[in-house]
Amino acid sequence: MRKVYLKMNEELKYKVIKKLIDSNGSKQRAAIELGCTVRHINRMINGYKEKGKAFFVHGNCGKKPSHTIDDSVKKDIIDLYKTKYEDANLTHFSELLEEREEIKVSATTIRSILLQEFILSPKAKRSSKKALCNKLRDLQKDTKSKKEATTIQNTILDIEDAHPRRPRCAYFGEMLQMDASVHLWFGENKTQLHIAVDDATGSIVGAYFDNQETLNGYYHVLYQILTTYGIPYMFYTDKRTVFEYKMKKSSSIEDDTFTQFGYACKQLGIEIKTSSVPQAKGRVERMFETLQSRLPIELRLSGISTIEQANEFLNSYIKKFNARFALPVDNIKSVFETQPNIEKINLTLAVLAGRKIDSGSCVKYNKRYYLPVDTNGHPVYYHKGTSGLVINAFNNELLFSVNEKIYALELLPDHVPSSKNFDLAQTTKVPKKRYIPPMSHPWKQASFEQYCSKQAHRQKESIA
């Protein structure tokens, strides 16, 4: 005799009816227990007497529903997704199947079919990926085939390498995604557009064109942020040289752009987070897609042909662009700190270079000689070989830090302006007074050298 298996509710009905018949109990009590009528109790009693326990098995048990998709159609759906429509989101895939393949199935049904082959939607949530990976690991433990175990492991790696969409940050200024894109933005030569995008609102908070992706370009973007909004909490960038050091032949501090930009952010209290995966900073990557389809047309219609014109054009265009695409800033709380004054910004966004005083009491910088002068414009003399720090401020003002003191740098001309032997006597000019920032400025020689010595890449250079 074939063994009969019942579900939980079917088992309850069987036990109640069997006990009712065996003990000649009350039908009303049984009806209350099962939540049905006495008439239905009589029907179940008759059925039990005719067929026994098998009567309580549902009539559709073991049968496929009438709307079940045929196995051949399921196979076609899986094959089409793996080949022709790979990486399509499931809603789009459902539309394409109906439009091009005459297969009408819902996105939910497609998800169930693909999950049987351990295929997730590109838009799958982190929880879905975690659940599938756990299931695959259980299968990997149970399998005895090395080939199958390897296949399962590769599937797990493919799932874990994906980067799901994440929610925006809660506050304006909490995280700014920063990057540069090379493109034929205007004219006949490609240029680099540097931008910073706020993660919470999608607003472009700074933009600057340059010939290459440079420290100068990112400094200009940071200058716009500081003067317009204030000090942000964090930058999220890729691992470019400006942000993440790459070994170079030269060990000069001037070439170490990571230290330059990193120390500027340290003085302002801005955290820098880097990633080598473009999807991790998808906000700025998608922003470039939008800009590349719109900005070149706007620049061409405005007759822009030089970088200077393009940067001037960005001032008005970014405001219009944010009004069209960004979320309203007024509805989101800002965590930007108070803007620094212009003097502090100029000194913070500086390029540093280590130099030594030569035998003529001068400093050589960019193939030209400069003489340190005090606030009254009088020359200051140091012994040959005295080391110091040339500070090229953001506004191109040159300063010299030596022995915890700051001096201005005055260009030494190649020739004197007049000859005392052949020109008429001229009145001696009074030295021009120079403004020199106090020692509270961020570029102290000792503190900067201490910061440099803590950088891992610079320690590796010294060992080598």
Side-chain angles (χ1 to χ4, degrees):
M1 185 176 177
R2 183 173 64 88
K3 191 172 183 180
V4 178
Y5 295 95
L6 298 178
K7 294 181 180 178
M8 187 180 294
N9 61 331
E10 296 169 346
E11 185 74 24
L12 176 63
K13 292 177 184 178
Y14 164 69
K15 289 180 178 180
V16 171
I17 297 301
K18 185 176 184 299
K19 182 180 179 182
L20 177 65
I21 295 173
D22 294 343
S23 62
N24 194 22
S26 170
K27 293 182 180 180
Q28 287 82 3
R29 185 186 181 101
I32 292 172
E33 188 174 353
L34 295 178
C36 62
T37 63
V38 174
R39 183 181 177 186
H40 188 56
I41 292 293
N42 291 328
R43 188 182 299 116
M44 287 191 284
I45 290 172
N46 294 332
Y48 176 70
K49 289 179 178 179
E50 290 178 9
K51 300 180 181 179
K53 189 176 181 179
F55 170 76
F56 297 95
V57 178
H58 196 281
N60 287 333
C61 183
K63 296 180 181 179
K64 285 187 176 182
S66 58
H67 59 274
T68 301
I69 298 175
D70 190 80
D71 290 340
S72 61
V73 177
K74 290 182 179 180
K75 186 177 183 302
D76 289 341
I77 291 173
I78 294 170
D79 291 340
L80 286 169
Y81 190 79
K82 286 182 176 180
T83 56
K84 191 174 181 180
Y85 303 110
E86 187 179 9
D87 293 334
N89 69 69
L90 300 190
T91 302
H92 190 204
F93 182 46
S94 174
E95 296 169 358
L96 292 172
L97 286 176
E98 184 177 0
E99 178 184 341
R100 297 172 179 267
E101 311 296 339
E102 297 182 356
I103 300 175
K104 189 174 182 180
V105 286
S106 67
T108 307
T109 304
I110 290 174
R111 180 180 181 276
S112 301
I113 294 171
L114 294 180
L115 270 178
Q116 295 175 4
E117 295 294 318
F118 308 115
I119 301 173
L120 280 173
S121 166
K123 302 293 184 181
K125 295 182 179 179
R126 191 185 299 271
S127 58
S128 300
K129 294 179 180 180
K130 186 177 180 179
L132 183 56
C133 286
N134 291 336
K135 185 177 179 180
L136 286 168
R137 288 189 180 98
D138 292 338
L139 291 174
Q140 190 179 24
K141 291 178 183 177
D142 296 336
T143 185
K144 296 181 180 179
S145 170
K146 290 185 178 180
K147 184 177 180 181
E148 187 177 348
T150 303
T151 304
I152 294 174
Q153 181 62 30
N154 292 335
T155 306
I156 293 173
L157 291 175
D158 289 340
I159 294 171
E160 290 180 339
D161 282 346
H163 296 271
R165 183 185 295 272
R166 60 169 180 77
R168 294 175 181 267
C169 287
Y171 302 111
F172 181 48
E174 183 178 353
M175 182 174 74
L176 305 185
Q177 296 186 18
M178 185 181 282
D179 201 359
S181 174
V182 60
H183 188 67
L184 193 62
W185 297 102
F186 57 86
E188 298 180 354
N189 298 319
K190 291 185 177 182
T191 50
Q192 290 272 4
L193 174 61
H194 305 68
I195 66 170
V197 180
D198 176 66
D199 189 77
T201 63
S203 303
I204 299 177
V205 292
Y208 187 80
F209 281 110
D210 207 344
N211 290 317
Q212 300 291 333
E213 185 176 4
T214 60
L215 176 64
N216 177 63
Y218 286 111
Y219 264 174
H220 273 84
V221 171
L222 181 51
Y223 180 84
Q224 294 173 28
I225 296 169
L226 294 174
T227 54
T228 308
Y229 303 99
I231 302 174
Y233 175 74
M234 181 177 70
F235 282 131
Y236 199 5
T237 72
D238 58 5
K239 290 189 176 181
R240 297 287 180 148
T241 309
V242 174
F243 308 108
E244 194 75 13
Y245 182 83
K246 295 180 180 179
M247 295 299 292
K248 292 184 175 183
K249 293 181 180 179
S250 173
S251 59
S252 171
I253 289 181
E254 295 171 77
D255 298 328
D256 188 354
T257 52
F258 171 66
T259 299
Q260 301 275 354
F261 192 88
Y263 189 67
C265 289
K266 180 179 181 295
Q267 295 302 315
L268 294 168
I270 303 173
E271 182 182 345
I272 300 179
K273 183 178 179 181
T274 63
S275 173
S276 59
V277 182
Q279 292 88 340
K281 49 184 185 59
R283 198 84 59 201
V284 71
E285 298 292 345
R286 287 190 293 272
M287 183 65 72
F288 278 128
E289 291 182 12
T290 305
L291 289 172
Q292 287 176 5
S293 65
R294 289 172 168 266
L295 185 54
I297 299 172
E298 299 280 355
L299 291 168
R300 186 179 71 244
L301 294 175
S302 300
I304 304 299
S305 58
T306 65
I307 285 183
E308 290 75 16
Q309 293 174 342
N311 284 322
E312 183 68 27
F313 175 81
L314 284 176
N315 294 330
S316 58
Y317 178 77
I318 294 304
K319 294 178 182 177
K320 183 174 72 173
F321 185 90
N322 287 338
R324 172 71 176 81
F325 292 103
L327 298 177
V329 177
D330 299 336
N331 299 338
I332 300 177
K333 182 181 177 181
S334 173
V335 292
F336 279 100
E337 293 187 12
T338 307
Q339 294 100 324
N341 56 43
I342 295 298
E343 177 191 337
K344 183 175 180 180
I345 294 175
N346 283 331
L347 291 172
T348 304
L349 306 184
V351 178
L352 286 262
R355 290 292 186 272
K356 291 186 177 181
I357 300 290
D358 65 7
S359 57
S361 298
C362 290
V363 175
K364 189 175 183 180
Y365 184 73
N366 287 342
K367 300 180 179 180
R368 308 197 74 175
Y369 290 95
Y370 294 88
L371 188 65
V373 296
D374 59 17
T375 54
N376 295 319
H378 297 128
V380 178
Y381 303 104
Y382 280 93
H383 294 293
K384 177 185 177 181
T386 303
S387 63
L389 208 62
V390 174
I391 305 167
N392 188 358
F394 185 77
N395 61 354
N396 291 323
E397 180 183 4
L398 291 179
L399 301 168
F400 190 63
S401 175
V402 56
N403 294 339
E404 295 302 321
K405 293 185 179 179
I406 297 292
Y407 302 102
L409 286 180
E410 187 175 280
L411 178 64
L412 196 67
D414 295 332
H415 302 279
V416 293
S418 61
S419 170
K420 63 180 181 180
N421 296 318
F422 297 97
D423 295 326
L424 296 174
Q426 296 183 355
T427 307
T428 304
K429 292 184 178 180
V430 179
K432 183 180 178 181
K433 286 194 173 185
R434 304 290 298 270
Y435 171 75
I436 297 175
M439 280 308 298
S440 60
H441 77 95
W443 296 119
K444 296 179 183 178
Q445 183 182 7
S447 58
F448 180 69
E449 289 177 351
Q450 185 179 8
Y451 176 80
C452 291
S453 64
K454 291 181 180 180
Q455 302 301 302
H457 61 273
R458 301 199 68 83
Q459 291 173 2
K460 292 177 183 176
E461 284 180 358
S462 62
I463 293 173

